[in-house]
Structures are given as structure tokens and as C-alpha cells.
Amino acid sequence: EPYAFWRRDTNLAGETGFTGDLQQTTVGIRLAGKLRARLDYGIEVALQRGSLGSDDVEAWGGHWQLRQTLPVRGAVRLTGEYNYASGDEDPTDGVRGTFDQLYPTPHDKYGLADQIGWKNVHHLRAGVEVTPLTGWPITTNYHSWWLADRRDGLYNAGSASIARIAAGAAERHVGQEIDVQLSRALFPQLQVAAGYAHIFTGAFLKEATPGASYSHPYVMVTYVLLAEK
């Protein structure tokens, strides 16, 4: 699945404080398929080029995932995943290196707590899904994040910068998350789900913020007005 997006915006701040217009192209490709030994994979790479006023845009991001379904009771599936998004190594050199994650929601892509976005990040994920009872899948994931570049900041799921050390962070490790979620389709139009996520702060968050841990419990009900019978 190859794709290309063009983004235009106006009156944005450049690296040296000026205001300019953004002209940005994102070109990418996504590959997905199956391998032997009950393995399936997903790969995506996106390259961004363009300009914001006199600044150049040079950024990229990638996603690599491998999953295996085990031949055991409970429909056990194991997942290993790595995500990368470039950061800006010098905030004054006129080259914008921070990857733009664009508009789709990153919910549960980089942690169920939805505190980390696909910008200036190395992200590792390991997970297991098991269905002990028919129709009751339970998923548990472990996440760990590092800054891609020490002089850039940490960004949340909404693309906003939430922590930064102007002179460059002494440590890259942002933190870790453990999350678990359970879902159940009561009938085709109604689904209920519940989950819990906890973030353990790493050295970077302890340096740039008060370093408090974060917990996120939730209960969700989804009703679809039009659904297949």
C-alpha cells in the first residue's frame, strides 16, 4: 500500500522565531502479510520533505511488527513491535527533523494510556493476547520509550510537546508502561471494554518533570447504530 499526503498550513513558528507557511509531503509504503510458522508481519516507512518558510523539513518514521499465533488452547497470540520517529538534532539549524505524525488517532499504538506520540521516539512493545473463554479476549502489553534525539522534546498523542531539556537531556529513557484490557461483544451492535495502564517514569521524565508515575483505568461502551446482523 503506497501512499502520499500533502499538508499545507499557515502562520506557523519556524526554528528562529519567524512565522511562515508549511508545505510538507509525506511519502510512505505499508507492507503486511503472512509467513511460515503461524507468523504475520506489518512494516511501514514514511519519509517527509518540504519547507516551513526558510526552514527545510527532513524527517521520517517507521513501524515494524511481528506476531505469532500459538497452536494451543486460548488462541494465544504473541506480538513484538518496534516504532521509530525522527527528532530534531538542532533546534536552530533551519532543518526541521521532528517527524509529523499527521492526523489519525494513535490510540493504543504506543501505550494504552495514550501519553506518548509518534514523534522523536524509539518505542519497543511486547504483548500477549489470550482468550480463556470464547468471546473474552484479554490483552497485556509492555512498552518502553526513549527519545530519538536528546535536544528534542517528548510529544504526547496530540502532537504537543510536553517535556524538553533545552540544552539536551542527560538521559534518553522516557519510561515504561504495563497495560491490560478486556473486551466483550454482547451482540453485534454493543461492545463493552475495560482496561488499566500504568506508566513508570524513566530517567528523562525524572530530569524534565517532577517524575510522578501515571495510572489510567477506563471502562468503555460502544454502540453501533447500523451493524450487520
Side-chain angles (χ1 to χ4, degrees):
E1 298 178 350
Y3 58 85
F5 297 107
W6 176 60
R7 180 182 178 187
R8 180 181 182 274
D9 208 338
T10 59
N11 298 322
L12 298 181
E15 289 197 339
T16 57
F18 66 87
T19 300
D21 295 341
L22 175 68
Q23 304 280 350
Q24 175 183 285
T25 301
T26 302
V27 178
I29 186 169
R30 175 181 177 271
L31 305 172
K34 295 183 179 297
L35 302 170
R36 295 181 179 180
R38 300 180 180 87
L39 290 169
D40 59 85
Y41 67 91
I43 301 172
E44 183 173 356
V45 177
L47 181 69
Q48 293 178 338
R49 293 292 184 269
S51 64
L52 196 166
S54 60
D55 288 350
D56 294 324
V57 174
E58 297 182 6
W60 75 282
H63 159 82
W64 297 265
Q65 184 186 74
L66 191 65
R67 296 185 297 182
Q68 183 178 36
T69 302
L70 301 181
V72 297
R73 294 183 60 183
V76 178
R77 299 187 72 185
L78 305 178
T79 300
E81 184 176 322
Y82 169 64
N83 297 291
Y84 171 80
S86 62
D88 195 355
E89 64 181 14
D90 187 343
T92 62
D93 64 355
V95 178
R96 300 172 65 87
T98 306
F99 184 73
D100 181 358
Q101 66 181 11
L102 301 176
Y103 302 108
T105 173
H107 169 63
D108 194 27
K109 301 299 183 184
Y110 316 106
L112 187 63
D114 289 334
Q115 297 300 300
I116 309 297
W118 193 23
K119 305 180 70 169
N120 189 41
V121 70
H122 294 279
H123 168 230
L124 289 177
R125 175 178 185 168
V128 58
E129 179 183 302
V130 60
T131 307
L133 299 174
T134 302
W136 290 91
I138 302 172
T139 304
T140 300
N141 286 287
Y142 166 79
H143 304 264
S144 193
W145 315 279
W146 294 261
L147 297 180
D149 195 283
R150 297 174 188 267
R151 296 192 66 186
D152 203 345
L154 177 66
Y155 298 84
N156 66 13
S159 291
S161 178
I162 55 176
R164 185 171 189 156
I165 304 295
E171 300 289 343
R172 291 178 184 265
H173 190 227
V174 174
Q176 304 170 84
E177 177 181 316
I178 296 291
D179 58 49
V180 60
Q181 54 186 330
L182 170 68
S183 60
R184 170 69 174 175
L186 301 180
F187 50 88
Q189 288 181 277
L190 182 65
Q191 183 180 66
V192 296
Y196 177 80
H198 185 80
I199 293 178
F200 302 89
T201 53
F204 168 74
L205 284 177
K206 291 177 181 178
E207 178 185 2
T209 73
S213 60
Y214 178 82
S215 294
H216 174 70
Y218 83 94
V219 176
M220 180 175 69
V221 177
T222 303
Y223 184 80
V224 181
L225 297 178
L226 298 175
E228 296 182 2
K229 300 296 184 181

